[in-house]
Amino acid sequence: MGAFFNKLFDDDRKGPDIFLDFEKATPESEEERQVYESVAAVLDKGPEVIEQLGEYIGCEEYIRKAITSPGAETEKAAWEAILPAVDQLQNFYEFSLELEQCFPKLLVALCKGTDPTQTISTQQALAKQLADVFDFVLRFDDSKMVNPAIQNDFSYYRRTLNRMKLSKKDQNIKIRDELANRMSLFFAYPTPMMRCLSETTVKFLKQNSIPRDNVTNGLALMANICQDMVDKNKFSSAQTNMFCLRAMTGCIILVDHIHTLGAFHRKSPINIKGCITVLKNFLDNPTYGLLNALRFTTIHLNDPDTPTSIKQLLA
């Protein structure tokens, strides 16, 4: 597969000569349509999840009063405030489980062949959905990282639940130990949705006959296409360009997690320098969140095989 990428780029790393019409892509075949509709049933819920997360204000004041002035009244008020908040957190967690189920369908459809150029360029609606997944994941994780109320609320919920168990007052609690433990692990991670994708992909590679190289090369190609489209101003909309940049960044992070050498090594199939440069040069919207995602959610950036020039670009 290395030869494939040697052909894909010229000596100046000008990028793949592929345009993905993220603004108008629709399924072209019945097979693509079936996968598209199945995945769309999940992804269509994404905007509402992002909106709910952005509006999540937490129960800090109720919790503070219950801790500093403990008593039946303040503790009851805190518990009544926490319950609907935790229900909302459960919705976020359950959406991650839905992503776990639908993401492999995209990997199968887009990475089943030995030529990712063919499978991606001829299934643009599915390529757009792959980008949709990364767009959602990075937006969710970015919002979650700046909202400490999520973890604080759930920690208070678990502490209160443990006290209620000891006093036998937990009979009508919906989110009990096993589910609460799984949710706690999910929200404890700084970037829970990207971790979900990474673990899902690793599991997929262990259980599926599709070679790891097919998946990493397909994701690398997507990253390079998105970089190239922004660099060459293929879209006039700042929103569409940010969508491309999120998809590009998500692909880099996932490749870095599933490839033995990561995404930053000297022979990486991803045009890492071009990707970082296009992020730093993009002025229509802030991209520091995406740059920080590359800095702090990848695992191979500081490896010895990462060129010094790449490390300096992200310093």
Side-chain angles (χ1 to χ4, degrees), residues 89 92-93 140 144 150-151 183-189 192:
L89 296 183
F92 299 158
Y93 170 70
F140 182 96
K144 185 265 178 188
I150 290 174
Q151 276 185 266
M183 289 176 59
S184 180
L185 288 172
F186 176 78
F187 288 113
Y189 204 77

Side-chain angles (χ1 to χ4, degrees), residues 99-309:
L99 273 185
E100 284 184 18
Q101 296 300 313
C102 79
F103 190 62
K105 297 176 183 178
L106 291 174
L107 295 180
V108 169
L110 295 171
C111 304
K112 60 186 176 184
T114 57
D115 182 359
T117 303
Q118 175 71 15
T119 53
I120 288 174
S121 63
T122 60
Q123 299 181 103
Q124 296 211 5
L126 299 187
K128 163 66 162 54
Q129 286 186 320
L130 181 67
D132 278 325
V133 171
F134 288 120
D135 179 71
F136 167 82
V137 164
L138 285 165
R139 290 171 63 197
F140 182 96
D141 286 348
D142 197 44
S143 293
K144 185 265 178 188
M145 279 195 290
V146 297
N147 194 340
I150 290 174
Q151 276 185 266
N152 293 339
D153 287 357
F154 202 71
S155 294
Y156 180 81
Y157 172 83
R158 294 191 74 196
R159 292 196 303 270
T160 305
L161 178 61
N162 288 334
R163 291 199 303 270
M164 294 176 73
K165 285 165 58 181
L166 291 174
S167 59
K168 309 294 184 184
K169 295 180 180 178
D170 63 327
Q171 291 87 350
N172 297 319
I173 301 300
K174 183 174 68 171
I175 300 175
R176 304 180 70 85
D177 290 347
E178 184 178 352
L179 176 57
N181 288 339
R182 294 199 305 269
M183 289 176 59
S184 180
L185 288 172
F186 176 78
F187 288 113
Y189 204 77
T191 53
M193 287 293 179
M194 183 56 74
R195 181 171 182 254
C196 168
L197 279 196
S198 177
E199 291 182 344
T200 298
T201 306
V202 170
K203 183 179 178 181
F204 167 83
L205 291 171
K206 289 180 179 179
Q207 298 179 348
N208 203 284
S209 60
I210 293 179
R212 181 181 298 266
D213 281 353
N214 286 28
V215 176
T216 55
N217 288 337
L219 292 170
L221 177 60
M222 274 290 293
N224 291 332
I225 292 171
C226 290
Q227 183 275 335
D228 189 62
M229 291 194 299
V230 176
D231 190 50
K232 293 180 178 176
N233 300 308
K234 296 290 187 179
F235 298 105
S236 59
S237 165
Q239 182 178 357
T240 304
N241 281 313
M242 275 301 296
F243 178 82
C244 291
L245 292 176
R246 289 192 195 97
M248 177 193 78
T249 303
C251 286
I252 294 170
I253 294 169
L254 191 52
V255 168
D256 194 64
H257 278 252
I258 67 174
H259 192 283
T260 306
L261 298 177
F264 299 96
H265 61 96
R266 296 181 187 278
K267 295 183 179 180
S268 173
I270 300 175
N271 180 9
I272 287 293
K273 182 178 180 181
C275 291
I276 298 171
T277 300
V278 80
L279 281 173
K280 297 183 81 169
N281 291 342
F282 189 72
L283 302 178
D284 291 345
N285 280 295
T287 58
Y288 53 82
L290 299 180
L291 288 165
N292 283 338
L294 293 180
R295 292 181 181 112
F296 304 122
T297 66
T298 53
I299 57 180
H300 291 283
L301 174 61
N302 293 313
D303 284 3
D305 286 341
T306 300
T308 302
S309 60

